[in-house]
Amino acid sequence: MLPKIKTAPKSSLSDYTVLLYGPSKAGKTSFCAESEDTLFLATEPGLNALEAYQINITSWEEMTNACAEIAAGGHKFKTIVVDTVDNAYKMCSDYINGKSKVDHESDLAYGKGYALINNEFQRVLNKLAFLPYGLILISHSQVKELETRTGKVSRIVPTLPDKARKLVVGLVDIILFCDLEQQKNGDGTQTTARVLRTKPNLHYDAGDRTGRLPDVMPMSYPAFVAAFNQAAPKAPQSVKTASEK
């Protein structure tokens, strides 16, 4: 059972799990719709203006059934998008509370309800993440006041509840924050561009375990793929011996 050799870093985006978050109407769903052979698990309306493959998810049972069908294979999809993961968590909460016959998780013994919900939520997300498909989780953004050693800091984070956010942040390989940036044109005028921020910052959540992405890039799926592939490690070249020269 113990490995004999080290595993190589994954070379395809389909091997990674991404959290994409930002303000409403920032273009998150449109960004994901540009990815190849994408299936949306739509837990909220938002795809009306897009041509996309989607399954409308209105309950946690529908979510788990869809995941089981995806895991069974026999389809053409290469990327799965949960839009939004916030609503998926709420459905998970409603499902656990219904099984436990309570109105709210706090009605159970101290901490038990939250533990049941988080365990179930993590179980399903882990299964999705282990499938041989790309996985993108979409969330909205909010500003939270956080206490630091030097005082309070305003920080932009996904809108998931704190415990669910920690689960998701710990699971994903890449956190993309959708933001607006003022850019100067050649004629001296300025325009506002949608960008993705990928590196940790005191004022917003972001991160890139692959180390391949630039700090800031255009909010375009082709640009995202190009940046990832451009930084791919080069294949080692063989060294010729003296007799081969």
Side-chain angles (χ1 to χ4, degrees):
M1 291 293 291
L2 297 179
K4 298 293 190 297
I5 59 174
K6 294 180 179 179
T7 57
K10 304 295 185 180
S11 60
S12 171
L13 270 175
S14 63
D15 295 313
Y16 291 95
T17 301
V18 178
L19 170 62
L20 174 69
Y21 80 103
S24 297
K25 308 299 186 292
K28 301 182 293 294
T29 301
S30 297
F31 171 88
C32 294
E34 294 181 287
S35 58
E36 186 178 10
D37 294 328
T38 299
L39 173 65
F40 283 85
L41 302 184
T43 64
E44 66 176 40
L47 286 162
N48 293 338
L50 294 173
E51 185 177 2
Y53 294 100
Q54 64 175 302
I55 301 175
N56 293 327
I57 305 294
T58 61
S59 68
W60 189 246
E61 291 92 338
E62 290 180 358
M63 181 72 174
T64 55
N65 289 340
C67 292
E69 190 171 349
I70 292 167
H75 54 76
K76 69 173 186 177
F77 301 112
K78 297 180 180 178
T79 302
I80 310 302
V81 178
V82 180
D83 188 7
T84 63
V85 70
D86 306 69
N87 275 2
Y89 184 79
K90 177 65 169 60
M91 291 173 187
C92 181
S93 173
D94 291 342
Y95 169 75
I96 293 297
N97 290 338
K99 283 188 65 177
S100 303
K101 298 181 180 179
V102 295
D103 294 327
H104 191 269
E105 47 269 29
S106 60
D107 295 334
L108 293 171
Y110 179 76
K112 181 180 178 181
Y114 296 99
L116 288 172
I117 294 166
N118 291 330
N119 288 342
E120 171 66 9
F121 183 65
Q122 186 175 32
R123 179 187 71 83
V124 173
L125 283 192
N126 279 346
K127 282 193 172 183
L128 269 178
F130 274 120
L131 295 177
Y133 313 112
L135 176 62
I136 303 177
L137 309 174
I138 295 180
S139 180
H140 300 302
S141 61
Q142 63 181 335
V143 178
K144 296 200 74 173
E145 293 288 331
L146 303 178
E147 290 283 354
T148 70
R149 288 177 294 178
T150 57
K152 288 187 177 180
V153 173
S154 295
R155 185 177 176 88
I156 302 173
V157 300
T159 49
L160 284 159
D162 287 344
K163 291 184 179 179
R165 185 170 69 249
K166 289 177 181 177
L167 288 176
V168 169
V169 168
L171 168 72
V172 301
D173 302 294
I174 300 170
I175 303 174
L176 301 177
F177 168 48
C178 308
D179 196 13
L180 298 177
E181 183 175 81
Q182 292 295 320
Q183 297 180 349
K184 186 174 289 187
N185 300 319
D187 60 1
T189 60
Q190 286 192 334
T191 56
T192 301
R194 293 175 179 176
V195 298
L196 296 174
R197 304 194 185 277
T198 72
K199 298 297 186 279
N201 188 282
L202 180 63
H203 298 292
Y204 54 80
D205 276 356
D208 170 28
R209 286 178 180 167
T210 73
R212 295 187 177 197
L213 302 175
D215 291 6
V216 184
M217 62 180 146
M219 190 173 172
S220 154
Y221 195 83
F224 174 47
V225 174
F228 181 87
N229 291 335
Q230 186 176 7
K234 295 180 180 179
Q237 296 181 350
S238 60
V239 178
K240 293 183 178 180
T241 64
S243 62
E244 294 173 322
K245 293 180 180 178

